[in-house]
Amino acid sequence: MSPWRNALLFLALAVVSTAQNVISLSPASNAAGAAGLSSPLNPSFAGFGIEPSNLYSFTGRDYANQLSVNLLQNLADYSGAPPHIRIGGNTGDYMIYNASYNDYSLENNVYSVGEGVIASDSMIFGPSYFKALDRFPKNTPITYGLNLAYQQSDYLDNIVKEARAALNGMTNVKLVSFEIGNEPDLYLQNNFRTGSWGGQVYTEQFLERAAAVYQQVLRPAGIPSSFFEGPATASTIGTTFDINGLVQYGLTATTNGSNFISAWNQHDYFYFIGVSNVPLTLNDLMNLDNTNSQFAYWETQVAAGLVTGLPYVLREMCSVGPIGVHGISDTFGAALWTLNFFMYTASLNISSVQMHMTDNSNVSAWQPINMYGNAPFVRPMYYAHAAVAQLVGNGNGTTQIGALNTNRVSSSYTGRIRAYAAYANGLLRSLVLINSFQANSSDTNKGSYTFTFSLPSYSGQYLYLSYLTAAGADALSATTWNGISFESSSSGTPKTVNSTLTTLTIGADGKISVAVRDSEAVIANIGWPLGANEVLVPNSTSKTGPAVATTTKKSAAPVKSVQGTMSAVIGGAVTTTVALMGSVSNGVADATGSPRPTVFQAVITGGLPWLGFIFVAREGSMSQSRT
């Protein structure tokens, strides 16, 4: 065989191999024609939870924690409003308010008499708690957890006193809802309750406390009774705390003329140390089919909640609980998991998701204080929040998310490919493309996967690519989103470190292809660069009323120059090359903690993308039962 024929055969085989790593998708050009689309996302959709005992680490004590403030303000600038923050968790059921205690700290209660393995009145806090919380960006929406565990004779006085202090103490941030108790489905196990405790008794105790708080705190302030989220459960599998059961017990019923429930609030983790029954690797986390398997039961709860006409919120969530695992939850691979989870839950019509944080956790989006010998720093996960914030802000209150069918991927990429369509003002505006095939920083020949789209309504228009990228899935630092780094200074302020703007031209036939590198994500925006639009800024003087958009600000556009359109067309794939940036830093301690029950970037060589590595899916799933 002649050398010419050998070369031709090699080219043909390469094109066939590359074509196997291609998926063709045809999203609807407008929201009216898109099936399974979410409601418009609130600009505060992608938020955080802060463990109550750790609040001062994130806010600062005598002085503000400027890293936290700046990181939250970045997201507010991108989306149009600060991320929703939940102050809640196990320790919220250990804390008793004392108006005369003014230190910026929690005090051990030497006179504790409360119930529980850890007593329900074991810690004292005072007005400084809310002064510290008030340092967060203006109008930050706050869901605040009240202590349900405490049940001594003055329990109503205590919960009313705590609620009043929270309402009056938040003047800069915006209190939008109360929880009553954290994970009451676990109260028998931690000795907060005994005997016949279950969903029905919980409902009775919840309603009694909600009525007291409403009559004595909310009503005098002109706030409606439907100010409470329930039930803040860890699991409802095999319990009497599922949504349908609580509806039957009367949690949503009118009580003395009042309805108290404003939303269904549940908790979950993809994996929980000491509870999940299989070992966890980064590769497992990055298999996104495992996320669908683990969350399958909660999908039924979401559906049950939405049937009642109330929104469903996931106020406590993260990849690995209780405090993450170094080398897994603090990596760039976990950032890709986070981006996908936000898109996945949005497509289920979940109204808000809070990723839980503690100051000692390897899964927190940033480390707020000195810990494990490291100064405060930003983790890769934060960049997923930034990507979602810019995507939501791109639609200014009209962004809707729908999942695209990626089931027919090549077998080696099973569970690794996800695509979502984002609509703004009723029209297709962005495509969110995720390739979670694990490629580590040391892998020099990373593969890619090509997404080919049919967009006939947008023929001839530009597609602007924004990258969520790092050196590899195992990278612990040097992540960038849309060319922006939040690690360039200790203050968390954004800095453009890559001003390259990558664009593609949608063909006259409406065809366009985007190659996404292994362990990378791209958001492709039609018509302009993501982050270049004016973002509406909510501005309201009411503590509880809906925010009103009255002014605009620029959503930090990271780009400075345009660098062409297409660089290669092979087998229908259109790709561009952008230089990788990133390095890996030394990590920190492994996760520890008491267990609790839980149920593109394409690289082009000679015009051909590198072939992807073979992947064999791990058998089993990360599903767990929080019973």
Side-chain angles (χ1 to χ4, degrees), residues 252-312:
T252 58
T254 300
T255 304
N256 296 324
S258 299
N259 297 93
F260 297 114
I261 300 297
S262 62
W264 295 107
N265 171 333
Q266 292 183 332
H267 304 167
D268 188 27
Y269 286 87
F270 170 75
Y271 185 95
F272 208 89
I273 298 167
V275 176
S276 301
N277 56 12
V278 294
L280 178 67
T281 67
L282 178 57
N283 200 43
D284 292 328
L285 178 66
M286 295 180 68
N287 183 338
L288 303 179
D289 282 353
N290 288 339
T291 296
N292 292 80
S293 298
Q294 191 278 328
F295 204 74
Y297 171 78
W298 275 265
E299 288 194 28
T300 68
Q301 287 292 283
V302 174
L306 295 178
V307 165
T308 68
L310 296 173
Y312 182 101

Side-chain angles (χ1 to χ4, degrees), residues 86 224 254 281 287 314 516 535 544 566:
R86 176 220 182 203
T254 300
T281 67
N287 183 338
L314 195 60
V516 183
V535 177
T544 59
M566 292 181 281

